[in-house]
């Protein structure tokens, strides 16, 4: 995509964040924009970086590794937001700052063991299957407290909060329901695990960003509205 278009899109998304925060009385500085760059060439990320974007989210490991090499000269904070198989944890443990999709203890244990000791702990969000959809990844609401307690014990991980990808709803009011539920689950975890840095709600994409911000999102994950429609 044209560099100028990416920058315009980015500025438009930033304005939407500011407007939405103003409408619901939140500090726009409390909402961080994660640019979701899956399937985009490295030059698109570079264009966004030049316009001040620092956080990028990738879904596919091999693709992400290639871009990390191509963009090694930039000070990017890399987030892995795709499903992660347990035999692929090492690359995330060694090369990323954040992982948003932990839903099993086995994966978390491997990540903690593989995180190089000289690096800061890997920031973790637990992915919650808020709609209890059979086909979707994410820990169930019922199993969340036990998983969170176990992950919080792992030395080289930092449990930061929760992530969800709710199914689209038919109205804006309805769209807020799963986000409000995720926010409630985070409050419960804070009570359950005092002392953990549980400050993160990773929720909201191009189509439902406003609803997520209204419910307390601290990271919105935006792809299409920055880089255009994916093929
Ligand atoms: C692709 C993706 C996004 C971005 O979605 P858009 O609708 O393009 O903004 C956000 N989160 C996850 C987990 C994704 O896979």
């Amino acid at each position: 995509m044209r560099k100028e278009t990416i920058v315009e899109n980015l500025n438009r998304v930033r304005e939407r964040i500011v407007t939405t925060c103003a409408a619901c009385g939140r500090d726009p500085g409390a909402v961080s924009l994660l640019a979701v760059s899956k399937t985009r060439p490295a030059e698109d990320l570079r264009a966004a970086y030049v316009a001040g974007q620092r956080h990028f989210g990738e879904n596919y490991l091999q693709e992400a590794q290639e871009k990390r090499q191509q963009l090694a000269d930039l000070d990017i904070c890399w987030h892995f937001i795709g499903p992660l198989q347990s035999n692929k944890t090492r690359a995330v443990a060694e090369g990323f700052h954040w992982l948003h999709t932990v839903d099993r203890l086995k994966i978390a244990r491997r990540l903690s063991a593989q995180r190089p000791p000289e690096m800061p702990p890997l920031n973790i969000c637990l992915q919650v299957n808020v709609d209890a959809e059979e086909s979707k990844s994410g820990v169930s609401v019922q199993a969340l407290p036990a998983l969170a307690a176990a992950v919080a014990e792992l030395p080289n991980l930092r449990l930061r909060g929760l992530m969800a990808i709710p199914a689209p709803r038919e109205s804006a009011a309805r769209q807020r329901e799963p986000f409000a539920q995720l926010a409630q689950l985070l409050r419960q975890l804070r009570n359950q695990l005092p002392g953990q840095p549980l400050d993160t709600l990773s929720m909201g994409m191009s189509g439902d960003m406003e609803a997520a911000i209204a419910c307390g999102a601290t990271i919105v994950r935006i792809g299409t509205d920055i880089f255009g429609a994916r093929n």
Side-chain angles (χ1 to χ4, degrees):
M1 186 180 248
R2 284 170 64 245
K3 276 191 200 125
E4 294 77 10
T5 311
I6 292 173
V7 175
E8 282 165 22
N9 288 348
L10 192 53
N11 285 331
R12 220 171 281 134
V13 171
R14 288 171 175 156
E15 280 164 26
R16 272 167 67 197
I17 292 174
V18 170
T19 310
T20 309
C21 284
C24 60
R26 294 190 60 199
D27 171 11
V31 180
S32 150
L33 173 58
L34 178 61
V36 176
S37 43
K38 60 179 176 230
T39 78
R40 316 295 175 169
E43 69 212 47
D44 284 11
L45 284 75
R46 197 175 282 278
Y49 184 93
V50 169
Q53 181 63 32
R54 290 293 175 272
H55 293 264
F56 290 87
E58 288 283 338
N59 291 61
Y60 311 107
L61 206 47
Q62 194 184 332
E63 182 194 331
Q65 296 294 73
E66 284 166 22
K67 282 183 233 177
R68 284 189 45 242
Q69 276 183 6
Q70 291 168 313
L71 301 170
D73 56 315
L74 306 183
D75 183 25
I76 286 178
C77 184
W78 290 103
H79 297 239
F80 197 79
I81 63 170
L84 186 62
Q85 292 164 273
S86 60
N87 62 345
K88 302 249 174 86
T89 49
R90 184 173 294 279
V92 171
E94 293 180 350
F96 283 75
H97 302 86
W98 283 78
L99 173 61
H100 292 231
T101 52
V102 171
D103 61 1
R104 280 173 289 156
L105 186 54
K106 180 184 176 192
I107 299 264
R109 285 207 178 107
R110 289 176 65 94
L111 289 161
S112 183
Q114 292 167 342
R115 184 70 166 174
E118 67 277 11
M119 291 178 82
L122 178 63
N123 294 297
I124 297 290
C125 290
L126 302 179
Q127 182 177 354
V128 184
N129 187 356
V130 281
D131 293 323
E133 287 175 288
E134 201 65 61
S135 60
K136 276 222 186 139
S137 40
V139 62
S140 69
V141 169
Q142 293 73 25
L144 174 63
L147 178 63
V151 170
E153 295 291 315
L154 295 170
N156 300 319
L157 306 184
R158 182 172 289 152
L159 180 59
R160 296 295 295 271
L162 302 176
M163 178 272 213
I165 313 173
R169 307 295 206 265
E170 60 278 11
S171 71
R174 272 285 149 83
Q175 197 63 58
R176 286 197 285 273
E177 291 173 0
F179 295 135
Q181 186 193 2
L182 201 71
Q184 174 63 19
L185 291 169
L186 185 68
R187 282 192 289 274
Q188 287 167 1
L189 279 191
R190 286 201 191 111
N191 289 333
Q192 182 199 333
L193 301 167
Q196 290 295 316
L198 289 163
D199 55 5
T200 302
L201 281 171
S202 167
M203 58 189 196
M205 319 205 315
S206 294
D208 55 17
M209 182 181 92
E210 281 79 4
I213 291 174
C215 297
T218 65
I219 299 180
V220 289
R221 308 179 310 265
I222 307 299
T224 306
D225 285 356
I226 297 173
F227 298 111
R230 287 178 293 273
N231 298 328

